[in-house]
Amino acid sequence: MFESLKKNIQSVQDGITAGLGSRLQRLSVGEKSATTPTESNVNLAAGEDLLQMYQTQWATMHHMAEQNAKMAQDIDSAITTLTHECENQHGQMAEIHSLLAHLPNIMAQLHSMLATIGSLRGLFEEVEGGLLALEDLEEDLALQEKTLDLRLSLALSREKHNHRLNALRSELSVTHQAKMVALERHQETQRKEREQVFSEQFTEDIKNYKEQGIVTRRISSSDDEQGLKLEEVDLEQDTSELDQFLNDPA
């Protein structure tokens, strides 16, 4: 870009130089062709106009040169910015190229990751099934624990009931034994009283028989005697009177 700008400025300078040369040639030709080289025919203001024109052109060229320099600075800044941008893009393209060079490895790793994800999915399904089985096992264990608690409670209740029952049996057994002892004592007393009554009655009957030859009264069965049983009659008593009666010849 600077080369083209330099060429443009050089072309402008060449054009100005060529224009000045052509005007000087025209002026010299005009002076040579004059018929009378007197001072009255010379245009003294021509050089002033020419100089004014040249000054105006040079001022215009200087102004254009300043504008071109300013534009060149702006263009240089833009080129610098574009250069940095291009360098950045070049670095990015190099990085992209490097990434593209590693793309097969990345794809291989991606396929490996997909296979790993598939295996992990299978493992997750197995773990999920194991968790469900564990939940079922936990429910079964909770049910078994509850059953064991109920059985333990039932066993404790049964043991407590058996303890109460045994205590009641012991108490009833003691009471029964006490009552049986009292009953046996009462029955023994009644038996002895009956034996005494029977013995007295028998003695009296034997006496009446000896005196009168007949038995005048019979043993009346009272309410107390109706419950007398054969095994309750004690035969081991004094039989001397009976033996004397049987051995008496009268």
Side-chain angles (χ1 to χ4, degrees):
M1 184 172 286
F2 286 109
E3 293 293 333
S4 62
L5 182 62
K6 187 183 291 186
K7 289 180 180 180
N8 291 328
I9 294 172
Q10 187 66 36
S11 63
V12 171
Q13 289 180 353
D14 293 339
I16 292 171
T17 304
L20 289 175
S22 63
R23 284 183 176 275
L24 289 174
Q25 288 178 1
R26 288 176 184 177
L27 287 174
S28 62
V29 170
E31 289 177 355
K32 289 179 179 180
S33 63
T35 56
T36 58
T38 59
E39 294 180 357
S40 60
N41 292 326
V42 176
N43 189 3
L44 299 177
E48 183 179 358
D49 293 336
L50 184 60
L51 183 60
Q52 182 69 31
M53 183 185 66
Y54 289 157
Q55 289 179 350
T56 302
Q57 289 180 355
W58 277 106
T60 304
M61 290 174 62
H62 181 70
H63 180 68
M64 291 176 66
E66 290 180 350
Q67 289 182 351
N68 289 329
K70 185 177 180 181
M71 291 174 65
Q73 290 179 357
D74 295 336
I75 292 170
D76 182 64
S77 299
I79 290 172
T80 302
T81 303
L82 183 61
T83 302
H84 291 304
E85 184 68 23
C86 290
E87 290 178 354
N88 292 329
Q89 291 184 1
H90 179 71
Q92 292 178 359
M93 289 296 294
E95 185 176 1
I96 291 172
H97 181 72
S98 177
L99 292 175
L100 289 175
H102 291 86
L103 184 61
N105 294 329
I106 294 173
M107 292 299 295
Q109 292 179 0
L110 182 60
H111 289 297
S112 177
M113 291 174 65
L114 290 174
T116 304
I117 290 172
S119 62
L120 288 175
R121 181 178 297 174
L123 291 175
F124 288 157
E125 291 178 355
E126 292 180 0
V127 170
E128 185 177 1
L131 289 175
L132 293 175
L134 183 60
E135 289 180 357
D136 295 336
L137 181 60
E138 185 177 1
E139 291 178 357
D140 293 338
L141 289 176
L143 183 59
Q144 290 180 2
E145 185 177 0
K146 187 175 181 180
T147 304
L148 290 175
D149 291 338
L150 291 175
R151 288 181 178 178
L152 180 60
S153 178
L154 181 61
L156 291 175
S157 299
R158 185 178 295 173
E159 184 177 359
K160 187 176 180 181
H161 179 71
N162 290 332
H163 179 70
R164 291 180 179 177
L165 183 60
N166 291 330
L168 182 60
R169 285 178 179 176
S170 298
E171 183 179 357
L172 291 175
S173 178
V174 172
T175 305
H176 177 68
Q177 289 179 0
K179 289 183 178 181
M180 288 299 294
V181 170
L183 181 60
E184 289 178 357
R185 289 178 181 177
H186 180 67
Q187 288 180 354
E188 183 67 23
T189 303
Q190 288 183 350
R191 187 178 62 80
K192 289 181 178 181
E193 290 178 356
R194 288 177 181 176
E195 288 179 356
Q196 186 178 0
V197 171
F198 291 157
S199 179
E200 292 176 355
Q201 185 66 39
F202 183 74
T203 303
E204 186 178 355
D205 289 340
I206 293 299
K207 185 178 179 181
N208 291 330
Y209 180 76
K210 288 180 177 182
E211 292 177 355
Q212 300 177 6
I214 58 172
V215 179
T216 57
R217 56 181 300 184
R218 299 177 61 186
I219 299 175
S220 60
S221 59
S222 61
D223 295 335
D224 294 333
E225 295 171 353
Q226 289 179 357
L228 184 62
K229 296 181 180 179
L230 179 62
E231 60 269 13
E232 294 178 355
V233 177
D234 189 8
L235 299 177
E236 295 180 358
Q237 59 183 348
D238 189 8
T239 60
S240 59
E241 295 182 356
L242 179 60
D243 293 336
Q244 185 179 0
F245 173 74
L246 294 175
N247 293 324
D248 191 0

